[in-house]
Amino acid sequence: GENVEQHPSTLSVQEGDSAVIKCTYSDSASNYFPWYKQELGKRPQLIIDIRSNVGEKKDQRIAVTLNKTAKHFSLHITETQPEDSAVYFCAASQNTGNQFYFGTGTSLTVIP
Amino acid sequence: EPEVTQTPSHQVTQMGQEVILRCVPISNHLYFYWYRQILGQKVEFLVSFYNNEISEKSEIFDDQFSVERPDGSNFTLKIRSTKLEDSAMYFCASRTGLLYSGNTIYFGEGSWLTVV
């Protein structure tokens, strides 16, 4: 099955700086890669996703890049704000598959 | 915006007791899931359900777990004889299932289960 690894497990940045979280996956058949943000005690919420026919996707301060050859994808948050502090999970799945495989999560702290 | 809803939000149960967690997926969704998150750890897949049957399950989903969709709207997870290690947040999720679109899964708010 798919194995998703995520780094770093914790990340602290100063407000206004950029944050980058990286994930690798093992199954070349995976073709859908969402990122979820989870605030303490709340549900994971989708913040951005990318499909394998796209190399990069951007939504305001958030961007995701995908390198299919190397089997890795990254989340980039620019101009970080304290409200960006949360745990971020990457995931991988296949269009025809059922299961979403999650990374181990990155706890991001933005220091005001 | 439609949401996945779950009840109860928090349940405390004695070890060995049966627990039923309830979920109402988003109405036009076809795939339903249960995930589990032990405190401070990652979200773990338990089971997926499609067309009124289990389509995939993880090794965590052993004989003490079962799922059903009794009335076309609710999707339930039953734990027959709870163990201490079942203490976790249980998330229900759903997705449309359409190929190449709408593949995102949407999570409910979670049911926090504490086994004592």
Side-chain angles (χ1 to χ4, degrees):
Chain A
E2 174 68 275
N3 181 41
V4 178
E5 295 191 355
Q6 183 172 348
H7 300 280
S9 57
T10 59
L11 178 61
S12 291
V13 299
Q14 288 291 131
E15 182 177 358
D17 287 351
S18 295
V20 181
I21 302 169
K22 298 180 180 180
C23 286
T24 60
Y25 61 100
S26 60
D27 190 345
S28 56
S30 291
N31 55 14
Y32 175 67
F33 309 94
W35 285 90
Y36 288 84
K37 175 183 179 182
Q38 186 179 31
E39 296 175 7
L40 191 63
K42 296 192 175 180
R43 75 179 96 188
Q45 291 204 304
L46 178 76
I47 55 171
I48 195 165
D49 58 13
I50 192 167
R51 289 179 169 80
S52 60
N53 57 345
V54 174
E56 183 174 353
K57 184 175 177 180
K58 193 172 180 181
D59 182 5
Q60 297 178 31
R61 296 187 296 109
I62 295 172
V64 57
T65 58
L66 170 65
N67 183 329
K68 285 191 296 181
T69 304
K71 296 198 193 72
H72 67 71
F73 57 111
S74 300
L75 177 71
H76 305 252
I77 307 174
T78 58
E79 300 170 27
T80 52
Q81 300 166 5
E83 51 265 39
D84 294 330
S85 296
V87 178
Y88 292 81
F89 290 96
C90 63
S93 79
Q94 301 172 25
N95 265 329
T96 54
N98 259 312
Q99 191 174 151
F100 282 62
Y101 297 86
F102 284 85
T104 48
T106 297
S107 177
L108 173 65
T109 302
V110 179
I111 303 164
Chain B
E1 187 176 325
E3 288 188 338
V4 176
T5 57
Q6 287 184 243
T7 53
S9 57
H10 188 195
Q11 182 162 353
V12 180
T13 190
Q14 294 265 343
M15 191 169 56
Q17 295 296 304
E18 176 181 284
V19 161
I20 297 176
L21 305 178
R22 291 182 170 80
C23 169
V24 179
I26 295 173
S27 62
N28 63 343
H29 285 191
L30 302 177
Y31 287 86
F32 314 115
Y33 305 83
W34 283 100
Y35 283 83
R36 178 181 84 175
Q37 186 177 32
I38 295 171
L39 188 64
Q41 297 186 23
K42 72 172 173 179
V43 178
E44 299 177 293
F45 171 78
L46 292 179
V47 66
S48 61
F49 193 85
Y50 171 71
N51 200 26
N52 285 320
E53 61 182 15
I54 290 174
S55 48
E56 201 170 357
K57 60 183 180 179
S58 72
E59 58 193 24
I60 301 170
F61 194 88
D62 60 22
D63 290 344
Q64 70 160 346
F65 291 93
S66 63
V67 290
E68 64 175 5
R69 196 156 182 250
D71 57 10
S73 61
N74 290 288
F75 178 52
T76 62
L77 174 70
K78 183 191 290 185
I79 310 174
R80 285 191 189 85
S81 178
T82 49
K83 300 180 285 209
L84 294 176
E85 53 265 38
D86 294 328
S87 295
M89 179 73 93
Y90 288 80
F91 289 105
C92 176
S94 69
R95 69 179 175 101
T96 65
L98 297 173
L99 286 179
Y100 305 113
S101 68
N103 213 30
T104 304
I105 58 171
Y106 294 88
F107 287 90
E109 291 280 2
S111 293
W112 183 249
L113 176 65
T114 303
V115 182
V116 297

